[in-house]
Amino acid sequence: MIEISAVVLGPLAGQMLADLGAEVIKIEPPTGDVARDSWPRGKRDGALFVNNNRNKRAIALDLKHPDARPVISALIASSDVLLHNMRNSAAERLELGFEQVAAINPRIVYCAAIGFGQRGRYRDRPAFDDIIQAASGLAGLSASRGGDPQFLPTILADKVGALHAVYGVLAALVARANGRDGAIRIEVPMFEALASFVLNEHLAEATFAETGKPGYPRVLSPDRRPFRTADGWIAVLPYTGDQWRRFLEEVDRADICQSAWFVDSKSRQARIDDLYALVAEVLPGRSTADWIAALEACDVPCSKIALLDDLLADPHLADVDFFAPGPGYSDEIRRVLPQPVGFGAIEPLPDIAPRPIGCDTRAVLADCGIPGDEIEALLASGVAVAATDTVAATFQGDAI
């Protein structure tokens, strides 16, 4: 598989496929993926790069140079999948549009992870995570609760898009294995992916009527929030009627269970603000630890509010060796993020740490049948870059 991508959307998708056993060849420009310059490592392999590029072979190639075209053609001809996160117009300028790639390899699975679907009027807009959070309605959800619009403090659009790209590629490969002939084009637009993600529960009444109002009341309730305890914060989610009944019994308000509106799920949802107000009223009377013990004993879903630092010390994550680097990492890497999907008795493949820029350039080009003298000519001209040539390379663009 060839991955021509940068930052998170494409690299995360490529990493997940590599974790599952795909041979992923990441093509970077001679100056490298801009995520290599991400905080906090400066001009070295930044954390954003380290966490999205394991288990890949790394080659550096100037795709804008005409002499690179025979090289990328050889790579395409020998690959099953090409994944990129360029705008389609940019891919076509590089002669990497779907029709151009399919002419080289008529059985290629071609995955374009882009900002907006190409049949719509937004197709040529630039797309970054904040832009997609804004356009998809995600940032506006807090306004639906009476607050100001807010970005979720994580790059959700990139990560949701990466998941869609992975299942799209896997589905195409299954179709090909089952006899589907010809090249397969997969389009993964971040806007449509995140709009679908947001509207899953919020399409609501609009599911059934043109004039139906979107919005899932329980989730949009301003009282659905972390609740203060005597010494911290906690999430409490009585969801079913039985869970609400057990919670109300725990806080000596079993009388509410006799109300006519409580028995029916729809009417209970209509009074959800009243129920959440009661939760907010009673929780400050005990400590977080006391509430966790009491609510777990009566099987009401709950959790303390974890901060980022808390995750690093979480005992469950320690139990499953969540952050443990594999043997392929240097001693300076203290934590990595695992492939979270388990496959029972199937042992995960050993990890290969993210590679230096151009680390595998010579070997990959040789594997494609390019003669040694031609490889050296490409390196001498700067069209391709090998690891030993990257010591003095400078990175372009702002730190992420």
Short mmCIF file of all heavy atoms in Angstrom, two decimals, residues 59-111:
data_model
loop_
_atom_site.label_atom_id
_atom_site.label_comp_id
_atom_site.label_asym_id
_atom_site.label_seq_id
_atom_site.Cartn_x
_atom_site.Cartn_y
_atom_site.Cartn_z
N ILE A 59 9.85 6.52 2.51
CA ILE A 59 10.67 6.98 1.40
C ILE A 59 10.38 8.46 1.17
O ILE A 59 9.31 8.96 1.50
CB ILE A 59 10.44 6.16 0.11
CG1 ILE A 59 9.11 6.50 -0.55
CG2 ILE A 59 10.52 4.67 0.40
CD1 ILE A 59 8.95 5.88 -1.92
N ALA A 60 11.36 9.15 0.63
CA ALA A 60 11.24 10.59 0.35
C ALA A 60 11.39 10.81 -1.14
O ALA A 60 12.38 10.38 -1.74
CB ALA A 60 12.29 11.37 1.12
N LEU A 61 10.39 11.49 -1.72
CA LEU A 61 10.34 11.64 -3.18
C LEU A 61 9.68 12.97 -3.51
O LEU A 61 8.62 13.30 -2.94
CB LEU A 61 9.53 10.48 -3.78
CG LEU A 61 9.58 10.23 -5.27
CD1 LEU A 61 11.00 9.87 -5.71
CD2 LEU A 61 8.62 9.09 -5.62
N ASP A 62 10.29 13.73 -4.38
CA ASP A 62 9.71 15.00 -4.82
C ASP A 62 8.73 14.73 -5.95
O ASP A 62 9.10 14.65 -7.13
CB ASP A 62 10.83 15.94 -5.29
CG ASP A 62 10.29 17.30 -5.73
OD1 ASP A 62 9.06 17.52 -5.64
OD2 ASP A 62 11.09 18.15 -6.17
N LEU A 63 7.46 14.59 -5.60
CA LEU A 63 6.45 14.20 -6.59
C LEU A 63 6.17 15.29 -7.61
O LEU A 63 5.53 15.02 -8.63
CB LEU A 63 5.15 13.81 -5.87
CG LEU A 63 5.24 12.57 -4.99
CD1 LEU A 63 3.91 12.34 -4.27
CD2 LEU A 63 5.61 11.34 -5.80
N LYS A 64 6.62 16.51 -7.35
CA LYS A 64 6.42 17.60 -8.32
C LYS A 64 7.44 17.56 -9.45
O LYS A 64 7.26 18.23 -10.47
CB LYS A 64 6.49 18.95 -7.60
CG LYS A 64 5.39 19.15 -6.56
CD LYS A 64 5.53 20.50 -5.86
CE LYS A 64 4.43 20.69 -4.82
NZ LYS A 64 4.56 21.99 -4.11
N HIS A 65 8.51 16.79 -9.27
CA HIS A 65 9.56 16.74 -10.29
C HIS A 65 9.20 15.71 -11.35
O HIS A 65 8.79 14.59 -11.03
CB HIS A 65 10.89 16.37 -9.63
CG HIS A 65 12.08 16.69 -10.47
ND1 HIS A 65 12.40 15.97 -11.62
CD2 HIS A 65 13.03 17.65 -10.35
CE1 HIS A 65 13.49 16.46 -12.15
NE2 HIS A 65 13.90 17.48 -11.41
N PRO A 66 9.34 16.07 -12.63
CA PRO A 66 8.99 15.11 -13.69
C PRO A 66 9.72 13.78 -13.59
O PRO A 66 9.16 12.73 -13.94
CB PRO A 66 9.38 15.85 -14.98
CG PRO A 66 9.35 17.30 -14.62
CD PRO A 66 9.76 17.38 -13.18
N ASP A 67 10.96 13.79 -13.10
CA ASP A 67 11.72 12.55 -13.02
C ASP A 67 11.18 11.59 -11.96
O ASP A 67 11.57 10.42 -11.90
CB ASP A 67 13.20 12.84 -12.72
CG ASP A 67 13.91 13.47 -13.91
OD1 ASP A 67 13.34 13.45 -15.02
OD2 ASP A 67 15.02 14.00 -13.72
N ALA A 68 10.27 12.10 -11.09
CA ALA A 68 9.67 11.22 -10.09
C ALA A 68 8.54 10.37 -10.66
O ALA A 68 8.15 9.37 -10.04
CB ALA A 68 9.15 12.04 -8.92
N ARG A 69 8.01 10.75 -11.82
CA ARG A 69 6.83 10.06 -12.33
C ARG A 69 7.08 8.59 -12.68
O ARG A 69 6.25 7.73 -12.36
CB ARG A 69 6.26 10.83 -13.53
CG ARG A 69 5.57 12.11 -13.06
CD ARG A 69 5.18 13.04 -14.17
NE ARG A 69 4.71 14.31 -13.60
CZ ARG A 69 4.68 15.45 -14.26
NH1 ARG A 69 5.11 15.49 -15.53
NH2 ARG A 69 4.25 16.56 -13.68
N PRO A 70 8.19 8.25 -13.30
CA PRO A 70 8.43 6.82 -13.52
C PRO A 70 8.56 6.04 -12.21
O PRO A 70 8.17 4.87 -12.13
CB PRO A 70 9.75 6.80 -14.31
CG PRO A 70 9.87 8.15 -14.91
CD PRO A 70 9.22 9.08 -13.94
N VAL A 71 9.07 6.69 -11.18
CA VAL A 71 9.25 6.03 -9.89
C VAL A 71 7.89 5.77 -9.25
O VAL A 71 7.59 4.64 -8.81
CB VAL A 71 10.13 6.87 -8.94
CG1 VAL A 71 10.29 6.17 -7.60
CG2 VAL A 71 11.48 7.14 -9.58
N ILE A 72 7.04 6.78 -9.18
CA ILE A 72 5.73 6.59 -8.57
C ILE A 72 4.88 5.64 -9.40
O ILE A 72 4.09 4.85 -8.87
CB ILE A 72 5.01 7.95 -8.34
CG1 ILE A 72 3.76 7.77 -7.50
CG2 ILE A 72 4.67 8.61 -9.66
CD1 ILE A 72 3.99 7.34 -6.10
N SER A 73 5.08 5.62 -10.71
CA SER A 73 4.36 4.67 -11.56
C SER A 73 4.77 3.24 -11.23
O SER A 73 3.92 2.34 -11.17
CB SER A 73 4.63 4.96 -13.04
OG SER A 73 4.08 6.20 -13.41
N ALA A 74 6.05 3.03 -10.99
CA ALA A 74 6.51 1.69 -10.62
C ALA A 74 5.94 1.27 -9.28
O ALA A 74 5.55 0.11 -9.08
CB ALA A 74 8.04 1.66 -10.59
N LEU A 75 5.86 2.20 -8.35
CA LEU A 75 5.28 1.89 -7.04
C LEU A 75 3.80 1.57 -7.16
O LEU A 75 3.29 0.61 -6.57
CB LEU A 75 5.47 3.08 -6.09
CG LEU A 75 6.89 3.29 -5.55
CD1 LEU A 75 7.03 4.69 -4.95
CD2 LEU A 75 7.22 2.23 -4.51
N ILE A 76 3.08 2.35 -7.95
CA ILE A 76 1.64 2.12 -8.14
C ILE A 76 1.41 0.76 -8.79
O ILE A 76 0.50 0.01 -8.38
CB ILE A 76 1.03 3.24 -8.99
CG1 ILE A 76 1.00 4.55 -8.19
CG2 ILE A 76 -0.38 2.87 -9.47
CD1 ILE A 76 0.68 5.78 -9.03
N ALA A 77 2.22 0.43 -9.76
CA ALA A 77 2.02 -0.82 -10.49
C ALA A 77 2.18 -2.04 -9.59
O ALA A 77 1.58 -3.09 -9.84
CB ALA A 77 3.01 -0.90 -11.66
N SER A 78 2.95 -1.90 -8.53
CA SER A 78 3.21 -3.05 -7.66
C SER A 78 2.41 -3.02 -6.36
O SER A 78 2.66 -3.82 -5.47
CB SER A 78 4.71 -3.12 -7.33
OG SER A 78 5.13 -1.95 -6.66
N SER A 79 1.44 -2.09 -6.25
CA SER A 79 0.70 -1.92 -4.99
C SER A 79 -0.76 -2.30 -5.15
O SER A 79 -1.32 -2.27 -6.25
CB SER A 79 0.80 -0.46 -4.52
OG SER A 79 2.15 -0.12 -4.25
N ASP A 80 -1.38 -2.64 -4.04
CA ASP A 80 -2.81 -2.94 -4.02
C ASP A 80 -3.65 -1.72 -3.72
O ASP A 80 -4.82 -1.63 -4.13
CB ASP A 80 -3.11 -4.01 -2.95
CG ASP A 80 -2.43 -5.33 -3.24
OD1 ASP A 80 -2.74 -5.92 -4.29
OD2 ASP A 80 -1.59 -5.76 -2.43
N VAL A 81 -3.10 -0.78 -2.95
CA VAL A 81 -3.88 0.36 -2.46
C VAL A 81 -3.05 1.62 -2.58
O VAL A 81 -1.83 1.60 -2.33
CB VAL A 81 -4.28 0.16 -0.97
CG1 VAL A 81 -5.06 1.37 -0.45
CG2 VAL A 81 -5.08 -1.11 -0.79
N LEU A 82 -3.69 2.72 -2.95
CA LEU A 82 -3.10 4.04 -2.84
C LEU A 82 -4.03 4.89 -1.98
O LEU A 82 -5.23 5.00 -2.28
CB LEU A 82 -2.88 4.70 -4.20
CG LEU A 82 -2.13 6.05 -4.15
CD1 LEU A 82 -1.26 6.22 -5.40
CD2 LEU A 82 -3.07 7.24 -4.03
N LEU A 83 -3.50 5.49 -0.92
CA LEU A 83 -4.25 6.35 -0.03
C LEU A 83 -3.61 7.72 -0.01
O LEU A 83 -2.40 7.85 0.18
CB LEU A 83 -4.24 5.76 1.40
CG LEU A 83 -4.67 6.67 2.55
CD1 LEU A 83 -6.17 6.95 2.49
CD2 LEU A 83 -4.31 6.05 3.90
N HIS A 84 -4.42 8.77 -0.22
CA HIS A 84 -3.89 10.13 -0.10
C HIS A 84 -4.92 11.03 0.55
O HIS A 84 -6.12 10.73 0.58
CB HIS A 84 -3.46 10.68 -1.47
CG HIS A 84 -4.58 11.08 -2.38
ND1 HIS A 84 -5.32 12.24 -2.20
CD2 HIS A 84 -5.10 10.49 -3.49
CE1 HIS A 84 -6.22 12.35 -3.15
NE2 HIS A 84 -6.12 11.28 -3.95
N ASN A 85 -4.47 12.17 1.11
CA ASN A 85 -5.40 13.15 1.64
C ASN A 85 -5.16 14.53 1.03
O ASN A 85 -5.28 15.55 1.69
CB ASN A 85 -5.36 13.20 3.18
CG ASN A 85 -4.03 13.66 3.76
OD1 ASN A 85 -3.02 13.71 3.06
ND2 ASN A 85 -4.03 14.02 5.03
N MET A 86 -4.87 14.53 -0.26
CA MET A 86 -4.77 15.77 -1.02
C MET A 86 -6.14 16.14 -1.59
O MET A 86 -7.01 15.28 -1.75
CB MET A 86 -3.81 15.60 -2.20
CG MET A 86 -2.38 15.28 -1.83
SD MET A 86 -1.37 14.98 -3.31
CE MET A 86 -1.80 13.27 -3.67
N ARG A 87 -6.31 17.42 -1.92
CA ARG A 87 -7.47 17.78 -2.73
C ARG A 87 -7.33 17.11 -4.09
O ARG A 87 -6.21 16.93 -4.60
CB ARG A 87 -7.58 19.29 -2.88
CG ARG A 87 -8.22 19.97 -1.68
CD ARG A 87 -8.53 21.42 -1.95
NE ARG A 87 -7.46 22.29 -1.52
CZ ARG A 87 -7.52 23.63 -1.56
NH1 ARG A 87 -8.61 24.21 -2.01
NH2 ARG A 87 -6.51 24.35 -1.15
N ASN A 88 -8.44 16.74 -4.68
CA ASN A 88 -8.39 16.01 -5.96
C ASN A 88 -7.67 16.82 -7.03
O ASN A 88 -6.96 16.25 -7.88
CB ASN A 88 -9.79 15.64 -6.41
CG ASN A 88 -10.32 14.43 -5.68
OD1 ASN A 88 -9.56 13.58 -5.23
ND2 ASN A 88 -11.62 14.33 -5.53
N SER A 89 -7.85 18.14 -7.04
CA SER A 89 -7.17 18.96 -8.05
C SER A 89 -5.65 18.86 -7.88
O SER A 89 -4.92 18.80 -8.88
CB SER A 89 -7.64 20.41 -7.93
OG SER A 89 -7.40 20.92 -6.63
N ALA A 90 -5.17 18.81 -6.65
CA ALA A 90 -3.73 18.68 -6.42
C ALA A 90 -3.24 17.31 -6.87
O ALA A 90 -2.16 17.17 -7.46
CB ALA A 90 -3.42 18.91 -4.95
N ALA A 91 -4.04 16.27 -6.58
CA ALA A 91 -3.65 14.92 -7.00
C ALA A 91 -3.55 14.84 -8.52
O ALA A 91 -2.62 14.23 -9.07
CB ALA A 91 -4.66 13.91 -6.47
N GLU A 92 -4.49 15.45 -9.21
CA GLU A 92 -4.46 15.39 -10.67
C GLU A 92 -3.27 16.15 -11.24
O GLU A 92 -2.68 15.74 -12.24
CB GLU A 92 -5.78 15.92 -11.22
CG GLU A 92 -6.93 14.94 -10.97
CD GLU A 92 -8.28 15.53 -11.29
OE1 GLU A 92 -8.34 16.72 -11.71
OE2 GLU A 92 -9.30 14.82 -11.12
N ARG A 93 -2.89 17.27 -10.60
CA ARG A 93 -1.70 17.99 -11.08
C ARG A 93 -0.45 17.14 -10.95
O ARG A 93 0.49 17.28 -11.74
CB ARG A 93 -1.54 19.31 -10.29
CG ARG A 93 -2.50 20.40 -10.68
CD ARG A 93 -2.03 21.75 -10.16
NE ARG A 93 -1.93 21.79 -8.70
CZ ARG A 93 -2.93 22.10 -7.89
NH1 ARG A 93 -4.13 22.38 -8.39
NH2 ARG A 93 -2.75 22.14 -6.58
N LEU A 94 -0.44 16.27 -9.96
CA LEU A 94 0.70 15.37 -9.78
C LEU A 94 0.57 14.09 -10.60
O LEU A 94 1.37 13.17 -10.45
CB LEU A 94 0.84 15.01 -8.29
CG LEU A 94 1.22 16.16 -7.35
CD1 LEU A 94 1.17 15.68 -5.90
CD2 LEU A 94 2.61 16.69 -7.66
N GLU A 95 -0.48 14.04 -11.44
CA GLU A 95 -0.81 12.85 -12.23
C GLU A 95 -1.13 11.66 -11.33
O GLU A 95 -0.81 10.51 -11.64
CB GLU A 95 0.31 12.52 -13.22
CG GLU A 95 0.55 13.63 -14.22
CD GLU A 95 1.55 13.27 -15.31
OE1 GLU A 95 1.90 12.07 -15.43
OE2 GLU A 95 1.97 14.18 -16.04
N LEU A 96 -1.81 11.98 -10.21
CA LEU A 96 -2.20 10.95 -9.25
C LEU A 96 -3.71 10.94 -9.03
O LEU A 96 -4.19 10.47 -8.00
CB LEU A 96 -1.48 11.18 -7.90
CG LEU A 96 0.03 10.94 -7.92
CD1 LEU A 96 0.65 11.39 -6.61
CD2 LEU A 96 0.35 9.47 -8.19
N GLY A 97 -4.47 11.45 -9.99
CA GLY A 97 -5.92 11.33 -9.95
C GLY A 97 -6.34 9.88 -10.18
O GLY A 97 -5.54 9.05 -10.63
N PHE A 98 -7.58 9.58 -9.88
CA PHE A 98 -8.03 8.18 -9.98
C PHE A 98 -7.83 7.62 -11.37
O PHE A 98 -7.29 6.51 -11.53
CB PHE A 98 -9.50 8.07 -9.58
CG PHE A 98 -10.08 6.70 -9.84
CD1 PHE A 98 -9.63 5.61 -9.10
CD2 PHE A 98 -11.03 6.49 -10.82
CE1 PHE A 98 -10.14 4.33 -9.33
CE2 PHE A 98 -11.55 5.23 -11.06
CZ PHE A 98 -11.11 4.15 -10.32
N GLU A 99 -8.27 8.30 -12.40
CA GLU A 99 -8.15 7.78 -13.76
C GLU A 99 -6.68 7.59 -14.15
O GLU A 99 -6.33 6.60 -14.82
CB GLU A 99 -8.84 8.72 -14.76
CG GLU A 99 -10.33 8.91 -14.53
CD GLU A 99 -11.12 7.62 -14.75
OE1 GLU A 99 -10.60 6.69 -15.41
OE2 GLU A 99 -12.26 7.54 -14.25
N GLN A 100 -5.83 8.51 -13.70
CA GLN A 100 -4.41 8.41 -14.04
C GLN A 100 -3.77 7.21 -13.34
O GLN A 100 -2.96 6.48 -13.94
CB GLN A 100 -3.71 9.71 -13.63
CG GLN A 100 -4.20 10.94 -14.41
CD GLN A 100 -3.92 12.24 -13.67
OE1 GLN A 100 -4.20 12.35 -12.48
NE2 GLN A 100 -3.39 13.23 -14.38
N VAL A 101 -4.15 6.99 -12.08
CA VAL A 101 -3.59 5.86 -11.33
C VAL A 101 -4.15 4.54 -11.84
O VAL A 101 -3.42 3.54 -11.99
CB VAL A 101 -3.88 6.04 -9.82
CG1 VAL A 101 -3.54 4.77 -9.05
CG2 VAL A 101 -3.09 7.23 -9.28
N ALA A 102 -5.45 4.50 -12.14
CA ALA A 102 -6.06 3.27 -12.64
C ALA A 102 -5.50 2.86 -13.99
O ALA A 102 -5.48 1.67 -14.33
CB ALA A 102 -7.58 3.45 -12.73
N ALA A 103 -5.03 3.84 -14.78
CA ALA A 103 -4.41 3.50 -16.06
C ALA A 103 -3.09 2.76 -15.85
O ALA A 103 -2.68 1.95 -16.70
CB ALA A 103 -4.18 4.77 -16.87
N ILE A 104 -2.44 3.02 -14.74
CA ILE A 104 -1.18 2.33 -14.42
C ILE A 104 -1.45 0.97 -13.81
O ILE A 104 -0.80 -0.03 -14.14
CB ILE A 104 -0.33 3.18 -13.46
CG1 ILE A 104 0.02 4.52 -14.11
CG2 ILE A 104 0.93 2.44 -13.03
CD1 ILE A 104 0.61 5.54 -13.13
N ASN A 105 -2.43 0.90 -12.89
CA ASN A 105 -2.76 -0.34 -12.20
C ASN A 105 -4.28 -0.52 -12.23
O ASN A 105 -5.00 0.06 -11.41
CB ASN A 105 -2.25 -0.30 -10.76
CG ASN A 105 -2.49 -1.61 -10.02
OD1 ASN A 105 -3.29 -2.43 -10.43
ND2 ASN A 105 -1.80 -1.81 -8.91
N PRO A 106 -4.79 -1.32 -13.15
CA PRO A 106 -6.24 -1.46 -13.31
C PRO A 106 -6.93 -2.17 -12.15
O PRO A 106 -8.16 -2.26 -12.15
CB PRO A 106 -6.37 -2.29 -14.60
CG PRO A 106 -5.06 -2.18 -15.29
CD PRO A 106 -4.05 -2.04 -14.20
N ARG A 107 -6.17 -2.67 -11.16
CA ARG A 107 -6.78 -3.33 -10.00
C ARG A 107 -6.52 -2.58 -8.69
O ARG A 107 -6.73 -3.10 -7.61
CB ARG A 107 -6.24 -4.76 -9.88
CG ARG A 107 -6.82 -5.72 -10.91
CD ARG A 107 -6.20 -7.12 -10.81
NE ARG A 107 -6.27 -7.68 -9.46
CZ ARG A 107 -7.36 -8.21 -8.91
NH1 ARG A 107 -8.50 -8.21 -9.58
NH2 ARG A 107 -7.32 -8.73 -7.69
N ILE A 108 -6.15 -1.30 -8.81
CA ILE A 108 -5.81 -0.54 -7.63
C ILE A 108 -7.06 -0.20 -6.80
O ILE A 108 -8.14 0.01 -7.34
CB ILE A 108 -5.07 0.77 -8.01
CG1 ILE A 108 -4.34 1.39 -6.82
CG2 ILE A 108 -6.05 1.78 -8.61
CD1 ILE A 108 -3.05 0.74 -6.47
N VAL A 109 -6.91 -0.20 -5.50
CA VAL A 109 -7.92 0.39 -4.60
C VAL A 109 -7.41 1.79 -4.29
O VAL A 109 -6.35 1.95 -3.68
CB VAL A 109 -8.09 -0.44 -3.32
CG1 VAL A 109 -8.96 0.29 -2.31
CG2 VAL A 109 -8.68 -1.80 -3.65
N TYR A 110 -8.18 2.79 -4.72
CA TYR A 110 -7.74 4.18 -4.66
C TYR A 110 -8.60 4.91 -3.63
O TYR A 110 -9.81 5.05 -3.80
CB TYR A 110 -7.91 4.81 -6.04
CG TYR A 110 -7.51 6.27 -6.17
CD1 TYR A 110 -6.26 6.62 -6.67
CD2 TYR A 110 -8.40 7.29 -5.84
CE1 TYR A 110 -5.90 7.95 -6.82
CE2 TYR A 110 -8.04 8.62 -5.98
CZ TYR A 110 -6.79 8.94 -6.47
OH TYR A 110 -6.43 10.26 -6.64
N CYS A 111 -8.00 5.35 -2.54
CA CYS A 111 -8.74 6.00 -1.46
C CYS A 111 -8.30 7.44 -1.34
O CYS A 111 -7.15 7.72 -1.01
CB CYS A 111 -8.53 5.26 -0.14
SG CYS A 111 -9.46 5.97 1.24
#
